[in-house]
Amino acid sequence: MFAQELGFRGVATSNVRDNIAALWYQALRTQLRITRLPFAGLTDRAALFCFEELARDVGMKVRYRVDCVLEQGGRVRHEVTGDLAAVEAARGPGTDESFGRAMAQLVSQQDGRSSRSVAAQKRTGPFGPKNGTALVAWVIA
Amino acid sequence: MALPPNTSEAEFASALAEFAAVVGNDWVFSSEEDVALYRDSYSIYWGEPEERVASAALAPANVEQVQQIVRIANKFRIPLYPISTGRNLTYGGSAPTLSGSVVVDLKRMNRILEVDEDRHFALVEPGVSYFDLYNHITERGLKVMLDVPDPGWGSPIGNSLDHGVGYTMAPFRDHFGSHCGMEVVTPEGEIIRTGNGALPGSESWQEYRYGVGPSVDGLFAQSNFGIVTKMGFWLMPLPETFLTGTVTVPRYQDFDALIKEVSYLEDSFLIGMPRYGSPVRGSDFLGGSPAVGRLMENGWPSTDRLEDFVRAERLPAWSVMLPFYGPEETVRASWAAAKRRFAARIPGAAFQDGELSRLPLPRDVAERFPLKPNVGIPALEVFGMVARNPLTDSDPSDGHADFFTFVPRKAAAVSEAARVLAETYAEMGLPPLHNPFITPINYYSRCFIVATVVPTWRDPVKNARSRALFSRIIDRVAERNWGTYRTAPAFQEQAVSKFSFNNNSLLRFQEKLKDSIDPNGIISPGRYGIWPASMRNRRA
């Protein structure tokens, strides 16, 4: 849903499940060195961790992130971090597949470049799955 | 914002203005959000006053700018902390050893100056990553193979200067050992070239390491005597093929004979890095299977009990995967010779042939190859494995601090190290992580590493426990006269203090050099315990 919605909005997308390095070193970094456009994702936290570390090469930061936290009983809670406008905009997305669409709408509207908040930076490292955290939506700008 | 030690805000502002005049305003980073990028994501002091944080960062474009930065730093007595890519996580990452230092981020110095496929070497700048060099080689079809660490997002220069390691043949996986020639900016801002690089116009800078007279290259690794701006590396000629073979042995006590045979093959340059395993342990993670957990409930088992356990589990006690590189005829012959030797010396040894791969791998095969680092392909999958593996514990950490202790290449030493680590965890009231089936890592071919992984957190209470554990481990292994080969800044002084022969004469010698070469103490003060005289009172 996330990629589909962004596709409708004319945003270039890429499936990075298996190869973050190829996307970064062979495409994204080169583009970002020329023009620092925001890039966003709906990934696991390990992928975000890698992108955040790599983005230092081009001076870009995580501006906001929406972590899906699985609670007891399978309930999903969304933890929103970053600049206030994005945090407000991200409140209350659905907990089913509409989450991907909601996040796509959010990241295409809030590019984060005006933010000076450090709240979303380096919030965490890679996690295993048993801590109850699943996907995270994010914007690096 | 952190300030450099003994520097006022006004002085720092003046220094930043002078730095900006050299590198340009766009390449001086002093805002909170920019400086935060240089925090160590795995810091064991995260969010605490002791966390090492930068005051600013600079990104010079060339060696001349590095020289000018060094001169300005001397003028203002501002400590610098050079990084290449700054991704040596668990060893400090991009954060300085001394808070308030200005990070010199060499990311813009990212030229691959030369890759010679006939003489098998490369000459690169610090901002070149393993991925960059790998892509350069594969895009041009050059007939050389890299040796890469895992993950591969670091730089050959940074990794080798930190004594990093890889996975192929012994002469190449010791990354500092395979370097040939450096260019260094001294703390006074002078450029020196080592080895044959000191010979003007030399065409063999990357072929003959020593030049004439003393070799000083080692002074620039894990140290603070200069900023390395170029470095050469010997590369392995691209092998025609890659073959693996796995040996298993049935009994616990077969480990000693297994190690001796593997060491023979390794020291004869017939194999690359062997990967030891223990099928009976039942898991690649340190703690092992539930059955191993039950075995350990009553303390460290006797050898008889271990043999009974192995028999009951009906699995081999030990395994080792052997990688072979070269023409098909020689790798198949080497594997056949290896099997003959194991079979003759270890009753019950069994063998499993691996697949032969022709190199270079086609791109689509390379992308999904399960042993990427073994064939010089850099990867980041290790992060995904950690995040997705269901065997990680129920309270995953935010990072980790690895402790690697060196022990002799003997089964008894591996077992003893595992036992010392298990006792240390127990002493600290932690669940057992080490057992008699722990296997060594053979990064450096002539000795073993026995590893443990201490979690780091965003939680200061948990971090305090981790620090206490890490520190106790350093003390306990030192009681057995073992040391470590690299560690996070938080523990560098303690680790170095254990190398105490003759009243720490080695460190005192390094300090004399520091005082002479860098009298203002501007390059990475405190790195690996080497403080300039003016800051020696900071020693813990």
Side-chain angles (χ1 to χ4, degrees):
Chain A
M1 279 295 175
F2 181 77
Q4 195 176 37
E5 182 68 26
L6 286 176
F8 287 147
R9 291 164 181 267
V11 177
T13 60
S14 178
N15 184 346
V16 297
R17 180 166 295 168
D18 297 322
N19 207 339
I20 294 163
L23 176 63
W24 179 258
Y25 286 101
Q26 291 169 27
L28 206 48
R29 185 181 61 172
T30 308
Q31 289 297 316
L32 295 171
R33 278 177 173 165
I34 299 165
T35 313
R36 285 202 291 178
L37 289 173
F39 66 104
L42 179 62
T43 65
D44 63 22
R45 295 170 84 156
L48 171 56
F49 174 79
C50 291
F51 278 124
E52 179 165 25
E53 290 287 325
L54 291 164
R56 191 177 59 237
D57 282 357
V58 288
M60 296 174 73
K61 300 107 191 165
V62 178
R63 296 303 191 175
Y64 65 88
R65 53 187 292 163
V66 183
D67 287 89
C68 299
V69 182
L70 298 173
E71 296 186 317
Q72 295 287 346
R75 191 170 166 276
V76 179
R77 176 169 57 83
H78 294 129
E79 203 170 285
V80 192
T81 319
D83 71 285
L84 285 176
V87 169
E88 283 307 312
R91 288 204 191 287
T95 56
D96 51 17
E97 63 179 16
S98 66
F99 175 75
R101 180 178 294 126
M103 287 299 100
Q105 290 166 354
L106 178 67
V107 301
S108 60
Q109 290 163 5
Q110 307 273 334
D111 75 14
R113 278 180 290 187
S114 60
S115 170
R116 291 293 170 267
S117 169
V118 296
Q121 284 190 39
K122 301 206 174 193
R123 277 202 69 225
T124 182
F127 278 139
K130 285 190 177 177
N131 74 334
T133 301
L135 295 174
V136 54
W138 47 267
V139 170
I140 292 177
Chain B
M1 180 206 284
L3 282 171
N6 307 315
T7 305
S8 70
E9 280 190 40
E11 289 168 334
F12 191 43
S14 299
L16 290 178
E18 293 201 22
F19 287 135
V22 172
V23 299
N25 285 323
D26 287 349
W27 302 105
V28 175
F29 309 110
S30 58
S31 69
E32 183 189 10
E33 56 166 357
D34 283 330
V35 174
L37 288 175
Y38 293 90
R39 292 177 77 179
D40 172 15
S41 297
Y42 285 8
S43 174
I44 204 164
Y45 279 108
W46 184 270
E48 298 182 60
E50 296 87 346
E51 182 187 347
R52 275 80 166 159
V53 291
S55 56
L58 315 169
N62 53 51
V63 68
E64 291 78 17
Q65 291 186 2
V66 174
Q67 288 180 278
Q68 292 181 69
I69 287 169
V70 165
R71 289 176 186 136
I72 295 166
N74 270 299
K75 176 181 167 185
F76 288 93
R77 304 284 200 273
I78 287 176
L80 303 173
Y81 191 79
I83 62 169
S84 43
T85 61
R87 298 203 175 90
N88 57 339
L89 296 170
T90 88
Y91 305 113
S94 47
T97 304
L98 176 67
S99 269
S101 300
V102 171
V103 169
V104 181
D105 186 345
L106 300 169
K107 63 185 178 183
R108 293 172 72 205
M109 296 173 63
N110 56 5
R111 291 180 301 163
I112 296 168
L113 297 163
E114 190 173 6
V115 178
D116 191 311
E117 65 173 342
D118 299 315
R119 296 187 291 165
H120 312 126
F121 66 75
L123 178 66
V124 297
E125 292 188 324
V128 173
S129 71
Y130 284 98
F131 280 101
D132 296 326
L133 191 50
Y134 173 77
N135 289 335
H136 178 96
I137 288 167
T138 53
E139 284 163 9
R140 289 160 181 77
L142 302 176
K143 302 296 183 192
V144 289
M145 186 171 83
L146 282 182
D147 185 288
V148 300
D150 193 18
W153 59 5
S155 79
I157 290 184
N159 188 267
S160 64
L161 292 180
D162 212 25
H163 291 167
V165 282
Y167 295 86
T168 67
M169 297 291 289
F172 303 100
R173 69 178 192 261
D174 169 359
H175 292 166
F176 189 77
S178 66
H179 95 275
C180 192
M182 296 178 176
E183 177 184 271
V184 186
V185 174
T186 71
E188 292 175 323
E190 192 166 31
I191 301 175
I192 60 172
R193 287 184 173 178
T194 65
N196 265 11
L199 194 63
S202 171
E203 294 179 58
S204 55
W205 186 17
Q206 274 60 65
E207 293 180 300
Y208 185 60
R209 186 187 294 166
Y210 303 123
V212 67
S215 174
V216 298
D217 298 52
L219 289 176
F220 302 107
Q222 291 193 351
S223 70
N224 48 18
F225 297 121
I227 299 177
V228 177
T229 50
K230 290 184 185 67
M231 207 161 160
F233 295 94
W234 289 331
L235 303 175
M236 188 171 169
L238 183 69
E240 290 178 21
T241 69
F242 170 70
L243 175 72
T244 60
T246 299
V247 185
T248 58
V249 294
R251 288 167 296 275
Y252 180 79
Q253 291 179 91
D254 289 334
F255 200 29
D256 197 50
L258 182 72
I259 289 169
K260 285 176 182 165
E261 282 310 311
V262 172
S263 298
Y264 173 88
L265 297 170
E266 168 93 305
D267 297 349
S268 303
F269 300 105
L270 291 171
I271 58 170
M273 188 177 112
R275 291 204 185 196
Y276 290 96
S278 172
V280 78
R281 191 169 83 216
S283 164
D284 284 342
F285 287 85
L286 289 172
S289 67
V292 172
R294 288 191 293 276
L295 173 73
M296 298 299 296
E297 280 172 359
N298 297 314
W300 201 261
S302 66
T303 302
D304 286 347
R305 217 162 148 240
L306 288 166
E307 296 291 13
D308 289 344
F309 176 79
V310 172
R311 272 194 298 276
E313 292 293 305
R314 298 176 181 274
L315 287 166
W318 306 103
S319 65
V320 64
M321 189 202 78
L322 307 174
F324 300 88
Y325 301 88
E328 181 173 355
E329 303 93 311
T330 64
V331 297
R332 291 204 186 283
S334 294
W335 176 219
K339 286 194 275 193
R340 173 177 55 75
R341 290 185 62 91
F342 286 112
R345 288 164 179 80
I346 307 175
F351 308 99
Q352 185 179 350
D353 297 339
E355 271 189 42
L356 183 131
S357 303
R358 298 192 186 282
L359 304 180
L361 299 169
R363 181 174 283 270
D364 60 327
V365 176
E367 283 179 3
R368 60 176 192 277
F369 196 67
L371 299 169
K372 285 181 180 173
N374 288 75
V375 291
I377 302 173
L380 294 179
E381 279 93 327
V382 65
F383 293 107
M385 286 165 61
V386 171
R388 294 171 193 148
N389 197 305
L391 294 175
T392 50
D393 66 43
S394 58
D395 187 16
S397 65
D398 297 308
H400 51 92
D402 296 347
F403 183 82
F404 289 163
T405 190
F406 275 120
V407 300
R409 270 191 303 180
K410 300 188 296 189
V414 175
S415 174
E416 192 179 351
R419 187 167 184 164
V420 167
L421 290 169
E423 288 171 356
T424 310
Y425 274 68
E427 178 191 327
M428 302 298 286
L430 295 165
L433 197 59
H434 301 83
N435 56 62
F437 300 104
I438 293 295
T439 46
I441 307 170
N442 216 166
Y443 285 136
Y444 283 96
S445 63
R446 296 293 177 141
C447 58
F448 279 158
I449 287 169
V450 176
T452 192
V453 178
V454 174
T456 64
W457 314 86
R458 295 296 187 261
D459 179 342
V461 175
K462 289 179 173 179
N463 269 345
R465 283 202 296 267
S466 286
R467 291 195 296 269
L469 172 64
F470 203 102
S471 178
R472 187 64 185 137
I473 290 170
I474 294 174
D475 285 343
R476 285 297 310 274
V477 303
E479 288 167 11
R480 187 53 193 81
N481 304 317
W482 298 324
T484 188
Y485 84 113
R486 58 174 165 165
T487 190
F491 304 103
Q492 286 175 0
E493 285 204 25
Q494 186 185 357
V496 165
S497 74
K498 305 302 181 186
F499 290 72
S500 58
F501 170 76
N502 191 21
N503 189 26
N504 300 89
S505 55
L506 179 60
L507 180 60
R508 286 187 286 113
F509 178 73
Q510 291 162 345
E511 287 173 343
K512 283 179 192 166
L513 290 175
K514 183 69 176 171
D515 293 343
S516 169
I517 294 168
D518 185 9
N520 294 325
I522 59 147
I523 306 287
S524 306
R527 184 160 167 76
Y528 280 92
I530 306 168
W531 289 100
S534 62
M535 298 185 195
R536 221 155 274 157
N537 60 354
R538 288 175 179 269
R539 180 165 293 141

